[in-house]
Amino acid sequence: MIKAVSVLLRGVGQVVFQNNPISGLVILTGLFFASLAAGTAALVGVIVSTLTAVLLKVDKDLIGAGLLGFNGVLVGIAISLYSSHNVTLGDLPVWKIWSLVVMGSAFSTVVMMALSRFLSPWNMPALTMPFVLCAWIFVGSVEHTVKLETPGALESYAYQLFQPEIGHRIEEYRQYTLETWYMGIGKGFSEIFLQDSAIAGYLILLGILINSRISAIMGLLAALLSITAAMLFGVTEESIRLGLHSYNPILTALAVVLFVRFTISSGFYALFGVVVTVWVSLAVGLALYHLEFPVYTFPFVIVTWALLLGAMSVGRLRYILPAEALTPEANLARFAAQEIEGAPEKRRDSPHQLDPEKPMEDQRE
């Protein structure tokens, strides 16, 4: 029982790349603080997606690391938001939406395995792309098949999320204040989980800090830099306050410091990716607005894939295989030990990477 709870909490933590049950517990607490609906949907999502992996006899190490649960967390929250009468107060979705949450979370496991196999020749992580694909499919089905009395939360976000804002005069908007920064940073972390709560966001940051100080610091720097960039680009104070220009850049920074050995060079490389992600988010938001698709974490995924592929060919950067990535601190310690011993780096099997040449049931450490 304790092991099962640990696996589920790791699944929650893996949304922000933290393979730590305590981190997952703190983050889940933040989600329940944000709303009862979000916390419940996250639990349902991680349970269903993880159980699906167990029933399909996916590698036990993958399951144990929470890598088959984190996309289910996000899918569950994304779908559930569409029938909550008031997400801030935490109204629970109707039963029709819960059925879609279950199906979407289960399907996210299948998509995760498919993408992992597809990306394995390049040794690239799937990141949250399974969530993005499943959410687009199942949220679209909500809009066209389920009759609801209220539009749900995401529709209220959509106007701010998709409005093209570059080119407007900053004077037309409310002046940026210290509260803009406080709310923008906190909600930047909470918007990773599609939540509008600064306190929940700071609890998520605390969860990251428990597992990795480097990740927490880089995540905070990413939030600050993305807000600065958004202000320079002339976006509205309200959208910055909502964290809509920060959550994708935060994820980009967290991914880069995990999959690239942390140095001064890689730190600046990650921050460069943060600014690029702000631009890409604006461009993708405008493009998807016409398709009536939410942005979700798609900008983070495409920018991070580009950065990681680039890191493989840059002499100053050392790409870390998903099979080897633990935490930035653990990665540094491993490289330091290898340099002392003079031993070449070896690739080892790990729950982070699939071998496309072996059957799923035979992939064991």
Side-chain angles (χ1 to χ4, degrees), residues 237-293:
E237 191 273 349
E238 185 177 8
S239 63
I240 293 174
R241 173 188 291 263
L242 290 171
L244 301 179
H245 300 284
S246 301
Y247 71 96
N248 274 295
I250 290 171
L251 286 173
T252 298
L254 293 177
V256 172
V257 298
L258 176 64
F259 295 113
V260 180
R261 180 176 61 173
F262 185 73
T263 61
I264 294 177
S265 297
S266 65
F268 280 108
Y269 189 65
L271 295 178
F272 166 73
V274 166
V275 178
V276 172
T277 305
V278 174
W279 270 107
V280 171
S281 297
L282 291 168
V284 170
L286 180 59
L288 293 180
Y289 171 73
H290 298 290
L291 298 174
E292 298 183 351
F293 275 17

Side-chain angles (χ1 to χ4, degrees), residues 121-169:
W122 297 278
N123 293 313
M124 293 285 290
L127 304 175
T128 57
M129 195 61 193
F131 149 63
V132 173
L133 294 175
C134 291
W136 280 345
I137 293 170
F138 284 89
V139 166
S141 69
V142 171
E143 292 186 328
H144 293 92
T145 63
V146 181
K147 302 298 183 182
L148 301 173
E149 296 179 359
T150 55
L154 289 186
E155 185 168 330
S156 65
Y157 287 157
Y159 178 82
Q160 299 144 4
L161 199 62
F162 302 140
Q163 283 299 299
E165 297 173 302
I166 294 181
H168 291 281
R169 294 177 59 83

Side-chain angles (χ1 to χ4, degrees), residues 15-16 74 131 187-195 204 208 246-248 250-251 254 297:
V15 174
V16 285
L74 295 175
F131 149 63
K187 291 189 178 183
F189 282 94
S190 69
E191 282 291 348
I192 294 173
F193 294 84
L194 305 175
Q195 297 305 298
I204 292 167
I208 297 172
S246 301
Y247 71 96
N248 274 295
I250 290 171
L251 286 173
L254 293 177
T297 58

Side-chain angles (χ1 to χ4, degrees), residues 21-143:
I22 299 176
S23 295
L25 178 61
V26 173
I27 292 170
L28 186 61
T29 301
L31 293 179
F32 272 106
F33 179 88
S35 79
L36 176 61
T40 305
L43 272 180
V44 173
V46 72
I47 290 172
V48 171
S49 57
T50 303
L51 182 59
T52 301
V54 172
L55 294 176
L56 292 176
K57 296 185 178 179
V58 177
D59 179 76
K60 292 181 179 179
D61 294 321
L62 279 168
I63 297 172
L67 294 172
L68 275 303
F70 71 94
N71 279 290
V73 170
L74 295 175
V75 170
I77 295 174
I79 297 175
S80 70
L81 285 177
Y82 263 87
S83 70
S84 294
H85 289 61
N86 188 325
V87 174
T88 303
L89 297 178
D91 289 348
L92 292 173
V94 297
W95 71 268
K96 292 180 181 180
I97 296 298
W98 282 123
S99 66
L100 290 175
V101 167
V102 171
M103 288 189 290
S105 300
F107 189 55
S108 73
T109 297
V110 177
V111 176
M112 178 66 173
M113 301 308 299
L115 276 177
S116 295
R117 181 169 290 270
F118 175 78
L119 294 170
S120 60
W122 297 278
N123 293 313
M124 293 285 290
L127 304 175
T128 57
M129 195 61 193
F131 149 63
V132 173
L133 294 175
C134 291
W136 280 345
I137 293 170
F138 284 89
V139 166
S141 69
V142 171
E143 292 186 328

